[in-house]
Amino acid sequence: MLRPVDSFPAATLSWCITFRTWGLIGLVLLLSGCATFAPNPPQDQSNICEIFREQPTWYDYSRDSQEKWGTSIATQMAFIQQESSFKSHVRPDRKYYLGFIPGPRPSSAKGYAQAQDPVWGEYRDQAGSLFARRTSMKHATDFIGWYNRRSQQQAGISLTNPEHLYYAYHEGAGGYRRGTYRNKPHVLRAGQQIATRTSRYQAQLNACEAEFQCRRFYQVWPFCRS
């Protein structure tokens, strides 16, 4: 004869509650993108060689994006440093009312590349996949490459001009053509910083890239990528 639910032993009921609790915790961690397990930002963000020594797979991702879309590794890394300081789950700060009541965020930007919801949706539809994540360096570098190729096509910006690529990245191709960035000192300053950082990163990478091209046991010179 079946017993009613309220006659279950207390130990069984306690086990069920515990299982459900841990299940909910696991779901929250999954939906949060496992921020706890994201890599720490590089300690020395002024040197691309040190960045890749800490995170060698980032070299592979940015190299793949460069080969696919044409934006240099140095430019990709300069963009990401500017946008997120290599923090995987960073988002714009919320507004607070009366100093303690949380309000909305100023934009939906998220992740390494600080891509907003609408353009990230376009990227996933056109070039990425349903599983592309803004908190993944692999997808962030691919997104930057894709976006800059689109800026080249829509606004005629050279892929070797990181300053103006950034203006289009920030303002969109339409805003770039209208020159909206010219009235925004913080955007102009960021674009200039991008250009300076790209030049420095490129010079550094020229001196150390070989160690990332041939670091795996099956990669033997002269058959490594060059």
Side-chain angles (χ1 to χ4, degrees):
M1 184 176 188
L2 296 176
R3 295 182 299 174
V5 173
D6 59 5
S7 67
F8 279 0
T12 302
L13 184 60
S14 175
W15 182 88
C16 291
I17 293 172
T18 301
F19 181 81
R20 288 184 61 188
T21 300
W22 281 107
L24 288 172
I25 292 172
L27 181 61
V28 169
L29 286 174
L30 180 64
L31 294 177
S32 68
C34 299
T36 305
F37 304 104
N40 292 325
Q43 293 185 349
D44 184 0
Q45 298 187 13
S46 67
N47 190 316
I48 197 171
C49 301
E50 295 303 322
I51 291 170
F52 288 151
R53 284 172 185 139
E54 285 192 40
Q55 299 293 337
T57 57
W58 290 4
Y59 171 80
D60 297 332
Y61 300 150
S62 55
R63 179 64 183 264
D64 289 344
S65 177
Q66 175 181 265
E67 293 177 349
K68 183 177 179 181
W69 303 110
T71 293
S72 73
I73 294 171
T75 298
Q76 294 172 53
M77 290 293 106
F79 270 48
I80 291 172
Q81 200 287 326
Q82 185 71 38
E83 291 297 282
S84 66
S85 297
F86 299 102
K87 297 175 184 175
S88 61
H89 287 70
V90 69
R91 301 184 68 179
D93 292 335
R94 291 183 182 276
K95 282 186 171 183
Y96 282 85
Y97 301 104
L98 301 178
F100 65 94
I101 302 173
R105 298 183 190 276
S107 80
S108 59
K110 180 182 178 181
Y112 286 117
Q114 288 295 281
Q116 298 191 44
D117 290 349
V119 72
W120 186 257
E122 291 180 44
Y123 162 71
R124 292 204 306 180
D125 291 342
Q126 296 178 20
S129 74
L130 292 176
F131 302 103
R133 295 176 292 112
R134 284 172 280 186
T135 55
S136 161
M137 181 61 77
K138 179 178 181 179
H139 299 141
T141 52
D142 193 65
F143 170 79
I144 291 171
W146 168 81
Y147 196 99
N148 286 345
R149 174 66 66 84
R150 192 171 75 161
S151 296
Q152 179 194 43
Q153 294 170 342
Q154 296 180 352
I157 306 170
S158 170
L159 293 177
T160 61
N161 188 340
E163 180 177 348
H164 284 259
L165 286 172
Y166 183 78
Y167 296 150
Y169 189 81
H170 194 278
E171 301 294 295
Y176 176 82
R177 287 193 298 266
R178 294 192 300 274
T180 55
Y181 62 92
R182 296 191 184 100
N183 298 319
K184 298 180 178 180
H186 67 288
V187 176
L188 291 171
R189 183 166 56 251
Q192 293 160 5
Q193 291 170 345
I194 287 279
T196 300
R197 188 176 301 115
T198 296
S199 295
R200 182 172 68 249
Y201 278 178
Q202 188 60 61
Q204 294 164 345
L205 189 61
N206 290 342
C208 71
E209 188 170 12
E211 71 181 83
F212 307 111
Q213 294 171 330
C214 290
R215 74 180 190 279
R216 302 184 188 277
F217 73 92
Y218 56 81
Q219 294 174 317
V220 180
W221 187 89
F223 303 104
C224 302
R225 293 193 300 184
S226 60

